[in-house]
Amino acid sequence: MHRRVVLAAATSLPLVALGRGARGAEFSYKYASNLPAAHPLNVHAEAAAKRIGEASQGRLEIQVFPNNQLGSDTDALSQLRSGALEFFTLSGPILATLVPAASINGVGFAFKDYAEVWQAMDGPVGAYVRGEIAKHGLYAFEKIWDNGYRQITSATRPIRAPEDLAGFKIRVPVSPLWTSLFKAFGAAPASINFSEVYSALETRIVDGQENPLAIIETAKLYEVQKYLCFTNHMWDGYWMLANPGALHRLPDDLQALVAREFNRAALEERADVARMNASLGATLKGQGMTVFETDPAAFRARLRQAGFYQEWQKRLGPEAWGALQSVVGPLA
Ligand code: X2X
């Protein structure tokens, strides 16, 4: 403070231009994501960062690093925990490698529609998971960002019924829930970080993968996949995570500003993703994919038969499972 005043007097520059780090801000933080810059996740993180920069008059600068620029999800999560990275969006069931309860949004066919998703995730399920994230030494902002309902793509054969998944080599995220889900279908899941997915498909290490339409489009997976099968087998979302030390180092007004803008951006991102996912089926068809509808009841029955719901009820425990069922009704 003294130094600033002295410098300001000596040079007659405005105070705001002084007392800042090399990049010109009091706090220069980084945000990382695993998705291409064009995906609404990054578009709205960028918009939030801009608003935060303006509203803080440059005191807090947040640089956005899309597309795994700072490393894979596995790398970024460890950077976040050590404090080398301040903000990171991570899918719940991947975060579950650290916080087991965060798997819960990925339970197969748990949510019948988006109304149920937000009722659960902005309500009792989200509150429970955020509490567990805090117990494991990270901070999660209130509003989860939308990844979306996931659809299976394939280079070799369409997946029209659960039988088609038998022995199918499918990439899944690095996550016990995802592996368990596709084993229950009788598939051969391979755990691969998203940073490696395009090349794993291109080189045929795997025959297929599953992701929401907004990702299949923005990551150009249609270039290396032929069939698009609407399975809607799970809903996935991204927790906006912070390193708690970095967050609490900010003065109270900046902490409140970050929370307000990230939560607002999450709601705006949800609206964009929903809009995109409603129209992208036709776009992807135009880009050469062959599209199939499926019967979700048949897939769900297969999970039930395989004991998937009993297993995850046990693994997640009565509190988490109870919170989920309080919104979606009985699952098993
Ligand atoms: O890894 C994936 O498939 C992605 C991008 O959807 C997630 O982050 C879960």
Side-chain angles (χ1 to χ4, degrees):
M1 191 60 206
H2 284 148
R3 196 166 148 264
R4 277 196 215 173
V5 172
V6 172
L7 279 172
T11 64
S12 72
L13 285 171
L15 266 178
V16 288
L18 296 168
R20 304 261 159 95
R23 298 196 49 86
E26 258 174 76
F27 300 94
S28 185
Y29 282 6
K30 295 185 290 299
Y31 158 76
S33 98
N34 66 0
L35 293 184
H39 189 281
L41 181 75
N42 287 306
V43 171
H44 290 280
E46 214 28 285
K50 186 157 178 282
R51 292 194 298 263
I52 289 165
E54 284 164 6
S56 71
Q57 294 177 308
R59 283 158 68 210
L60 173 55
E61 172 197 65
I62 300 174
Q63 285 181 273
V64 175
F65 293 89
N67 220 13
N68 299 290
Q69 279 173 17
L70 301 183
S72 70
D73 280 342
T74 307
D75 297 333
L77 180 59
S78 61
Q79 289 165 27
L80 182 78
R81 295 177 71 192
S82 74
L85 173 64
E86 291 84 11
F87 301 116
F88 176 42
T89 37
L90 187 59
S91 149
I94 301 179
L95 176 59
T97 55
L98 174 68
V99 185
S103 280
I104 194 153
N105 68 260
V107 169
F109 303 98
F111 307 103
K112 76 169 189 298
D113 55 25
Y114 267 114
E116 269 191 6
V117 168
W118 305 131
Q119 199 190 331
M121 301 313 292
D122 291 339
V125 176
Y128 178 75
V129 174
R130 292 177 66 237
E132 291 294 305
I133 292 171
K135 283 187 202 156
H136 288 82
L138 289 175
Y139 178 82
F141 291 94
E142 200 180 331
K143 298 293 180 193
I144 194 167
W145 298 48
D146 192 16
N147 188 348
Y149 280 90
R150 300 178 77 91
Q151 322 298 353
I152 297 177
T153 66
S154 161
T156 49
R157 60 173 189 256
I159 306 300
R160 312 174 73 166
E163 299 74 61
D164 296 326
L165 282 169
F168 184 64
K169 281 199 287 181
I170 184 168
R171 172 271 172 174
V172 293
V174 181
S175 152
L177 185 280
W178 253 293
T179 302
S180 157
L181 183 84
F182 280 91
K183 280 198 172 147
F185 283 132
S191 303
I192 299 175
N193 270 303
F194 191 69
S195 51
E196 307 292 332
V197 165
Y198 187 97
S199 71
L201 294 169
E202 193 176 29
T203 58
R204 292 293 182 91
I205 288 170
V206 288
D207 292 329
Q209 67 85 46
E210 43 82 62
N211 251 304
L213 299 186
I215 290 182
I216 298 170
E217 174 63 22
T218 56
K220 301 192 188 319
L221 302 185
Y222 56 84
E223 292 176 349
V224 286
Q225 295 280 272
K226 176 69 188 154
Y227 302 106
L228 169 59
C229 311
F230 283 96
T231 47
N232 289 295
H233 53 275
M234 72 156 84
W235 175 82
D236 189 37
Y238 282 99
W239 289 109
M240 175 60 83
L241 303 170
N243 173 283
L247 184 64
H248 296 128
R249 209 174 304 129
L250 298 175
D252 288 349
D253 66 321
L254 293 185
Q255 287 186 42
L257 174 65
V258 170
R260 187 188 79 203
E261 293 303 337
F262 278 167
N263 288 328
R264 168 184 164 189
L267 299 183
E268 292 174 355
E269 186 263 1
R270 291 176 185 182
D272 261 14
V273 172
R275 210 173 307 126
M276 283 176 81
N277 283 340
S279 69
L280 280 177
T283 310
L284 288 163
K285 215 169 171 174
Q287 285 163 328
M289 297 196 88
T290 309
V291 179
F292 293 91
E293 299 292 334
T294 70
D295 172 17
F299 285 84
R300 193 169 177 170
R302 179 58 59 94
L303 289 185
R304 238 184 239 121
Q305 259 169 27
F308 173 85
Y309 293 102
Q310 276 163 337
E311 180 192 341
W312 283 90
Q313 176 168 16
K314 201 157 54 185
R315 285 175 80 156
L316 288 162
E319 205 179 335
W321 201 256
L324 180 57
Q325 290 197 138
S326 76
V327 175
V328 305
L331 275 167

